[in-house]
């Protein structure tokens, strides 16, 4: 840093030649305590600042009395010292001592005493401490160079100071002497000249001036004083001195002037009145007593205005006008007759003029206040008890017409009402839209509902014992309520903006027809009669205004349903715009007046936008994130009823019914809202059905133990959605009203087709997920997984409860029983309900659904019976192909072990099916019997050698024993397969063995009977049960 830059820094007491902010220490006033603030025009000050350099605001004026040492600072008591805040190294080193100390970790910024010990300008400067810290690593050579630098600096500063003192000292002395002389002359004017002491003290003047620290202290008694302290002014001349004590020279004449004024009043006062004044006063008093009624009018009008007694106000105003007319008649009579006015007449005219002037002032103020109140009288009362308040605008119009006004108060109120409604519609909609988006973003950025919570709400329609349970979570219901309340504030006929629009048009129509003007006053001299009729142009403007209000309301509602969620939510933390005098305060929407804690947030940290994860609800501003269909169908039905009812009410207005354009826009509103609501609901419907498998907790139904509660839950859920969807598509609550067909049209075919497609998809999806859910093989510990969120519902067992069956086979049996119920009953019920609700036959779709259900049921049955069939086939194949299967005797009398193993497996299956789903026992055992016979055929074919008589007898015993045990489960296919077994055996033997086998048949029947009798207890479950007669 150069010496010039360092000088600038110290002179302006800054740390940077290019500062970007005002130094904080500059805000602390360092002016003298006796210095008074100067008043200077702002423009002059600004112009002066612009004319100077960028450092001009930091420089000290030459006329102020501040410290002349740059960089000096104040102590704690406000006194200045000569110690600078920072200074360069006196030994010629770095340009900042404080920076070096700060780098060494010393707290020089906080501890001023410690800092002063390192600054050369301080009296507490410590050379030892300075060298030990700042030059701790300096060499001897650098210290010697520093000493030489310090010597040169001292010499330069000493020489500069000497030149400064020698050059300017005489100038200072002369200025001081001049100032003291002027001051003494002003103070002691009129006094005798003081004794000459200047010659005696002149020789010491230079010495005294040099040693004086404050020139003013020596002005009265020092060597430069005009007089000594022992020469006071004479008292008779002191009063003429130019001083405060003598009132600056006027004290001498003040007393005589006061005495003259008193004498004049005493002498001429009585003479100025006289008899004329007495007569004048009597006349004035008589006139005042006669005009007491005139004088009372002004106060009476003020009282009526204060009490808002409009009837008495009009009466008093008429009385005041009559007094004014009487005074005007007196003046006109004197003018026409050219006769002078008498004193009583003059007084009457003057009193009436003063009264009329005050009355006109009050009436003008009252009219201005009434115009303002007429603008603000907008909101209807909440109850019929305040009906008089609702008609306040008529009272104000009456009084304005009665008093007489230039502008039409009727037209003025209609225009202000129109502006109020227009602003209120826009403000209320935008505010509600932002509030809804705030809650929607918080829901979207929060964690999705837990699986258990979602399952409880999906089971809600099927839970007949708890009708008070909310259809969704509290936060989602809160958003639904906010959406409904916001639209109700807009579209409700009583209490909403729509009702205010209709009320406005009815009142406007009454003014257009002239029915409202029948009771209105005509004003003084009929002046207000011209305001009773609205012009043709005004009527057209009113009709256009009503249509514009309806279009604004319609467009706002339609954009809320049709447009995606908004991005800008700055309205909640932006300052309110300043309302103009023409804008009534009531035009500001009510939410601006309150601050709901739900919508309070830091303006610098607004709620983040909703994450884009591909969910369907991200495109709908009215659908809460993660909302289910059960709650959605309830609230959308109410919203559609609101929209439909509002459109119907608007279509009844005469100005709307005759406008095809507005009628078409209302139909577009209803149709577009219905389509968007239907799409949002169907998207949520698919999403809920995809997670409906989590409702399955394997709890048995109370009336049928072979079923779970899942079918009943699904049936109730689908019935609820179909019923609600029908009310959304057709809006029956509105369609039945008169003139509803003008705006509520029949749903388009594409929309019904879309509904039908989603209905079919929900059936396929739900039933397929139920099957896959039941096929998932897991242990009980895996069945009780931690709860997961449902943002993207996976097919897991997270919804299972602790009572879930441990066996996969049991779950499959229960699911098969449920599927059988769906195929034979529930699906038919749902199809019939759809056809009834939407007047659309599903003949082909029903066939397709039945085929799909049959395929699903077959797949599920194979999933259950397939493993058992494979186990049986493995047992039979292993037993027959074994090398020990062929008997060692010529006549076998026992069955092979694999037969018992296969039958015992069937016994277990029989028990499992009987205790779980008895209706599935016959098809299950019959199917497995067919698989057993098929396994016999495959195993016999697998043997390569020819069958001997003993092998034929063993094969016959095995096959016939199984067939006899499972005789009641025999099917045509099983019989056919059994015949193929015997054919295979016959083809693999010789003729001799066949002949001998025929001879052994009676003995083999005896052996089979013996074997059946021996295992009667083990296989009794396969015996046909006798029914009681």
């Amino acid at each position: 840093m150069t010496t010039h830059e360092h000088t600038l820094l110290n002179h302006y007491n800054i740390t940077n030649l290019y500062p970007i902010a005002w130094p904080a220490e500059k805000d602390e006033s360092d002016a003298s305590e006796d210095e008074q603030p100067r008043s200077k025009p702002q423009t002059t000050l600004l112009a002066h600042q612009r004319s100077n350099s960028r450092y001009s605001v930091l420089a000290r004026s030459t006329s102020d009395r501040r410290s002349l040492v740059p960089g000096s600072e104040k102590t704690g008591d406000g006194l200045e010292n000569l110690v600078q805040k920072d200074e360069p190294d006196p030994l010629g080193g770095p340009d900042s001592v404080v920076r070096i100390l700060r780098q060494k970790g010393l707290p020089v910024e906080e501890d001023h005493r410690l800092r002063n010990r390192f600054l050369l300008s301080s009296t507490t400067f410590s050379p030892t401490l300075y060298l030990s810290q700042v030059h701790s690593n300096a060499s001897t050579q650098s210290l010697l160079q520093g000493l030489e630098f310090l010597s040169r600096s001292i010499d330069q500063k000493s020489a500069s100071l000497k030149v400064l003192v020698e050059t300017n000292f005489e100038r200072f002395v002369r200025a001081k002497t001049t100032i003291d002389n002027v001051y003494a002359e002003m103070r002691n004017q009129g006094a005798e000249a003081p004794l000459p002491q200047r010659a005696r003290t002149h020789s010491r003047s230079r010495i005294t001036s040099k040693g004086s620290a404050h020139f003013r202290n020596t002005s009265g008694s020092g060597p430069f004083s005009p007089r000594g302290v022992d020469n006071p002014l004479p008292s008779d001349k002191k009063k003429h001195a130019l001083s405060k004590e003598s009132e600056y020279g006027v004290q001498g004449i003040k007393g005589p002037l006061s005495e003259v004024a008193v004498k004049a009043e005493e002498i001429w006062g009585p003479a100025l009145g006289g008899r004329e004044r007495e007569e004048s006063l009597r006349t004035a008093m008589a006139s005042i007593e006669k005009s007491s009624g005139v004088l009372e009018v002004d106060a009476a009008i003020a009282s009526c205005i204060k009490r808002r007694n409009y009837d008495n106000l009009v009466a008093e105003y008429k009385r005041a006008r009559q007094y004014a007319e009487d005074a005007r008649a007196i003046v006109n009579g004197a003018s026409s007759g050219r006769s002078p006015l008498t004193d009583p007449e003059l007084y009457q005219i003057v009193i009436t003029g003063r009264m009329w002037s005050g009355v006109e002032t009050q009436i003008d103020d009252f009219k201005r206040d009434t115009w303002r109140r007429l603008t603000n009288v907008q909101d209807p009362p909440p109850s019929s008890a305040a009906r008089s308040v609702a008609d306040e605008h008529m009272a104000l119009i009456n009084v304005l017409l009665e008093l007489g006004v230039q502008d039409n108060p009727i037209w003025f109120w209609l225009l202000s009402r129109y502006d109020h409604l227009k602003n209120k519609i826009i403000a209320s909609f935008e505010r509600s839209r932002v509030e809804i988006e705030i809650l929607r973003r918080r829901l979207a950025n929060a964690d999705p509902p837990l699986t258990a919570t979602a399952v409880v709400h999906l089971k809600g329609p099927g839970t007949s014992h708890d009708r008070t349970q909310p259809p969704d979570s509290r936060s989602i219901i809160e958003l639904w309520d906010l959406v409904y309340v916001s639209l109700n504030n807009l579209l409700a006929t009583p209490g909403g903006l729509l009702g205010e629009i209709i009320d406005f048009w009815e009142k406007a129509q009454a003014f257009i027809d002239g029915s409202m003007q029948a009771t209105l006053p005509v004003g003084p001299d009929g002046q207000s009669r011209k305001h009773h009729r609205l012009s043709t142009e005004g009527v057209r403007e009113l009709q256009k205004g009503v249509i514009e209000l309806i279009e604004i309301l319609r467009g706002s509602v339609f954009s809320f349903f049709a447009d995606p969620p908004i991005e800008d939510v700055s309205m909640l933390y932006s300052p309110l715009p300043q309302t103009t005098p023409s804008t009534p305060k009531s035009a500001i929407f009510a939410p601006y007046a309150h601050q709901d804690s739900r919508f309070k947030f830091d303006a610098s940290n607004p709620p983040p936008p909703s994450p884009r994860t591909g969910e369907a609800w991200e495109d709908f501003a009215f659908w809460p994130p993660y909302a289910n269909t059960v709650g959605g169908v309830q609230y959308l039905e109410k919203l559609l009823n609101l929209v439909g009812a509002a459109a119907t009410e608007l279509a009844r207005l005469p100005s709307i019914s005759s406008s095809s354009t507005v009628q078409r826009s209302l139909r577009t509103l209803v149709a577009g809202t219905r389509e968007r609501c239907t799409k949002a609901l169907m998207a949520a419907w698919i999403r809920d059905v995809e997670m409906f498998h989590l409702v399955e907790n394997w709890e048995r139904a109370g009336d049928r133990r072979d079923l779970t509660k899942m079918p009943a839950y699904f049936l109730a859920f689908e019935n609820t959605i179909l019923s609600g969807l029908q009310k959304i598509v057709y809006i029956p609550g509105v369609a039945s009203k008169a003139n509803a067909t003008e705006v509520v049209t029949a749903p388009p075919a594409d929309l019904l087709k879309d509904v039908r497609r989603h209905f079919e998809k929900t059936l396929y999806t739900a039933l397929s997920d139920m099957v896959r859910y039941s096929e998932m093989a897991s242990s009980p510990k895996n069945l009780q997984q931690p709860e997961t969120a449902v943002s993207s519902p996976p097919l897991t067992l997270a919804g299972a409860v602790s009572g879930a069956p441990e066996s996969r086979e049991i779950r499959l049996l229960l699911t098969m029983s449920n599927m059988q119920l769906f195929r034979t009953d529930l699906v038919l019920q749902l199809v019939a309900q759809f056809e009834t609700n939407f007047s659309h036959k599903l003949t082909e779709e029903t066939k397709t659904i039945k085929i799909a259900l049959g395929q699903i049921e077959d797949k599920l049955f194979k999933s259950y019976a397939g493993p058992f069939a494979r186990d049986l086939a493995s047992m039979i194949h292993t037993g027959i192909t074994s090398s020990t299967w062929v008997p060692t005797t010529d006549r076998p009398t026992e069955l092979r072990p694999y037969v018992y193993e296969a039958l015992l497996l069937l016994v277990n299956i029989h028990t499992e099916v009987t205790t779980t789903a008895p209706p599935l026992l016959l098809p299950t055992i019959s199917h497995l019997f067919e698989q057993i016979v098929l396994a016999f055929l495959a195993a016999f074919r697998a043997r390569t050698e020819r069958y001997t008589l003993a092998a034929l007898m063993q094969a016959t015993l095995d096959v016939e024993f199984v067939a006899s045990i499972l005789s009641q489960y025999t099917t045509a296919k099983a019989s056919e397969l059994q015949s193929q077994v015997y054919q295979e055996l016959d083809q693999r033997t010789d003729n001799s063995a066949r002949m001998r086998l025929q001879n052994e048949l009676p003995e083999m029947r005896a052996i089979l009977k013996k074997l059946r009798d021996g295992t009667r207890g083990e296989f009794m479950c396969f015996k046909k049960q006798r029914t009681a007669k």
Side-chain angles (χ1 to χ4, degrees), residues 47-113:
H48 174 69
Q49 292 180 356
R50 287 194 297 266
S51 63
N52 295 332
S53 66
R54 61 185 176 186
Y55 299 107
S56 60
V57 294
L58 302 175
R60 289 183 172 87
S61 175
T62 57
S63 62
D64 62 9
R65 296 167 57 190
R66 302 178 184 178
S67 175
L68 299 177
V69 180
S72 63
E73 60 181 359
K74 285 185 177 182
T75 59
D77 54 1
L79 300 178
E80 292 185 349
N81 57 45
L82 301 180
V83 182
Q84 302 183 31
K85 293 184 178 181
D86 194 5
E87 59 186 20
D89 186 6
L91 300 183
D95 57 352
S96 175
V97 175
V98 174
R99 186 176 71 250
I100 298 174
L101 296 175
R102 194 187 305 116
Q103 292 175 357
K104 290 181 176 292
L106 294 178
V108 292
E109 295 288 349
E110 297 80 7
D111 192 349
H112 296 285
R113 293 185 178 181

Side-chain angles (χ1 to χ4, degrees), residues 568-590:
D568 184 15
V569 295
S570 59
M571 176 184 289
L572 287 185
Y573 54 83
S574 295
L576 293 180
Q578 295 293 332
T579 57
T580 60
S582 61
T583 302
K585 292 182 179 179
S586 58
I588 301 176
F589 181 49

Side-chain angles (χ1 to χ4, degrees), residues 293-294 296-297 300 314-324 355:
V294 179
E296 293 173 356
V297 172
V314 173
E316 293 294 335
Y317 181 68
K318 289 181 178 180
R319 188 156 69 103
R321 286 182 61 86
Q322 185 60 44
Y323 286 136
M355 178 273 299

Side-chain angles (χ1 to χ4, degrees), residues 652-840:
R652 293 177 182 176
L653 296 179
S655 60
I656 303 303
S657 58
S658 59
S659 175
S660 59
T661 303
V662 180
Q663 291 276 2
R664 186 165 53 252
S665 65
L666 291 176
R667 285 194 294 270
T668 303
L669 168 65
V670 176
T673 303
R674 173 175 58 191
E675 182 178 357
R676 290 284 291 178
C677 291
T678 304
K679 287 184 177 181
L681 183 64
M682 289 189 297
W685 192 12
I686 296 297
R687 182 176 175 275
D688 288 347
V689 168
E690 288 176 350
M691 72 171 73
F692 206 88
H693 64 276
L694 301 175
V695 175
E696 181 63 88
N697 58 2
W698 311 108
E699 184 179 357
R700 306 294 178 90
D703 52 345
R704 289 187 59 178
R705 303 300 296 174
D706 60 324
L707 301 173
T708 65
K709 292 184 177 181
M710 174 69 165
Y713 287 142
F714 185 74
L715 179 64
F717 173 79
E718 288 288 286
N719 284 334
T720 300
I721 304 306
L722 288 176
S723 299
L725 195 56
Q726 188 266 344
K727 295 176 182 178
I728 292 173
V729 171
Y730 289 97
I731 320 179
V734 179
S736 59
K737 296 182 179 180
N739 299 330
T741 55
E742 298 294 334
V743 292
V744 181
T745 58
D750 292 340
L751 183 62
L752 292 177
K753 183 178 179 180
D754 200 18
V755 173
R756 182 188 64 202
R757 181 174 58 84
H758 278 79
F759 171 66
E760 297 174 7
K761 187 176 180 180
T762 57
L763 293 179
Y764 294 142
T765 302
L767 299 178
S768 300
D769 287 347
M770 291 178 194
V771 173
R772 287 189 293 152
Y773 184 66
S774 63
E775 290 177 346
M776 296 178 64
S778 353
S779 62
K781 64 179 181 179
N782 291 332
L783 285 174
Q784 301 183 42
Q785 296 175 356
E787 291 186 337
T788 57
V790 296
S791 57
S792 56
L795 190 62
T796 64
L797 292 175
V801 296
S802 57
E806 300 180 4
S807 172
R808 169 181 174 272
E809 288 73 19
I810 294 178
R811 293 199 304 275
L812 290 174
L813 287 173
L814 292 175
T815 305
M816 281 192 293
S817 184
N818 292 339
M819 288 296 112
Q820 200 173 52
L821 179 65
F822 274 112
R823 179 173 55 84
T824 58
D825 186 13
L826 300 187
V827 171
L828 297 179
Q829 289 186 33
L830 293 176
V831 170
Q833 182 180 359
F834 182 89
E835 293 175 347
T836 302
N837 290 347
F838 298 96
S839 302
H840 185 78

